[in-house]
Amino acid sequence: DIQMTQSPSSLSASVGDRVTITCRASQSISSYLNWYQQKPGKAPKFLIYAASSLQSGVPSRFSGSGSGTDFTLTISSLQPEDFATYYCQQSHSFPRTFGQGTKVEI
Amino acid sequence: EVQLLESGGGLVQPGGSLRLSCAASGFTFSSYAMSWVRQAPGRGLEWVSAISSSGGSTYYADSVKGRFTISRDNSKNTLYVQVSSLRGEDTAVYYCAKDYGLGGYEPFDYWGQGTLVTVSS
């Protein structure tokens, strides 16, 4: 199984900050890496697919990069509505696996 | 508008069973693979199982293999998972999720609101 490791597990930031979250796969997954945002009590929201493609309707301050085993999610200027937990997920093979999540706090 | 509506959760004793359902609307259900993803209280997301668009291929996490059975009824636009031999560690909110596209490497673009399964005596 492919293990997904995110870092950090949590971070504190302020509105307007640039935030970067890292996701590492235990083996190469090409660009089959996706990102989701989840707020408390809500279902996850789809943000980015294929490592760097922004889902329709997602603000352009979100961006993704990487390939192989190392990936990043960047929020260029953190907004109040961005405080949430972010998960990476590989869709290269079964079983699908998620990172443990990164909680972005004020 | 795509909608996924889960049902069937509840309180069940260890060793018990439930059948969870996910009613889909707003898209051609029979064209898309579907998955179940769960989240234990205060924990992260865990993929549980997936099924191909036709139902001919199924996939499971090791943690549920042999205990959970995923299925679908394309005539009813409904996804199911039969959860059996339940353990305390199966306590979670169970989400159904739709594949984004028709390929084999798809993310999940729509999620239901989830149904809570609590395993306790």
Side-chain angles (χ1 to χ4, degrees), chain A residues 36-106:
Chain A
Y36 303 87
Q37 176 194 68
Q38 187 181 33
K39 296 182 179 179
K42 300 295 187 181
K45 176 186 175 182
F46 176 38
L47 294 180
I48 289 173
Y49 63 100
S52 61
S53 296
L54 209 61
Q55 167 66 342
S56 175
V58 174
S60 59
R61 63 182 179 271
F62 290 91
S63 64
S65 65
S67 67
T69 60
D70 295 312
F71 302 88
T72 60
L73 171 70
T74 299
I75 309 172
S76 60
S77 179
L78 201 63
Q79 298 302 300
E81 60 267 31
D82 301 336
F83 292 94
T85 300
Y86 294 85
Y87 294 92
C88 62
Q89 176 245 338
Q90 63 83 15
S91 52
H92 175 273
S93 58
F94 289 102
R96 303 298 199 227
T97 43
F98 289 88
Q100 81 277 17
T102 296
K103 187 173 184 179
V104 177
E105 301 177 292
I106 300 174

Side-chain angles (χ1 to χ4, degrees), chain A residues 1 94-95, chain B residues 38 47-49 58-69 84-85 87 90:
Chain A
D1 298 0
F94 289 102
Chain B
R38 69 184 180 182
W47 175 84
V48 171
S49 183
T58 58
Y59 309 88
Y60 297 93
D62 286 346
S63 58
V64 306
K65 201 172 294 182
R67 301 187 300 120
F68 288 16
T69 304
S84 305
S85 302
R87 309 163 180 167
D90 296 316

Side-chain angles (χ1 to χ4, degrees), chain B:
Chain B
E1 179 193 4
V2 171
Q3 290 193 345
L4 299 170
L5 185 62
E6 300 95 337
S7 61
L11 175 63
V12 60
Q13 292 187 337
S17 299
L18 284 174
R19 188 176 80 159
L20 309 182
S21 302
C22 171
S25 60
F27 65 102
T28 305
F29 179 73
S30 60
S31 294
Y32 292 88
M34 299 289 295
S35 284
W36 288 97
V37 177
R38 69 184 180 182
Q39 187 169 37
R43 305 296 295 273
L45 301 171
E46 179 189 15
W47 175 84
V48 171
S49 183
I51 187 167
S52 63
S53 56
S54 67
S57 296
T58 58
Y59 309 88
Y60 297 93
D62 286 346
S63 58
V64 306
K65 201 172 294 182
R67 301 187 300 120
F68 288 16
T69 304
I70 193 171
S71 62
R72 64 191 296 160
D73 185 335
N74 285 344
S75 69
K76 295 183 178 179
N77 290 347
T78 302
L79 174 72
Y80 304 99
V81 63
Q82 179 74 36
V83 298
S84 305
S85 302
L86 285 165
R87 309 163 180 167
E89 55 264 37
D90 296 316
T91 295
V93 173
Y94 286 73
Y95 296 102
C96 64
K98 168 188 168 292
D99 268 19
Y100 176 54
L102 306 183
Y105 304 94
E106 302 296 333
F108 307 126
D109 61 345
Y110 286 95
W111 299 63
Q113 87 291 345
T115 188
L116 176 62
V117 173
T118 303
V119 182
S120 175
S121 54

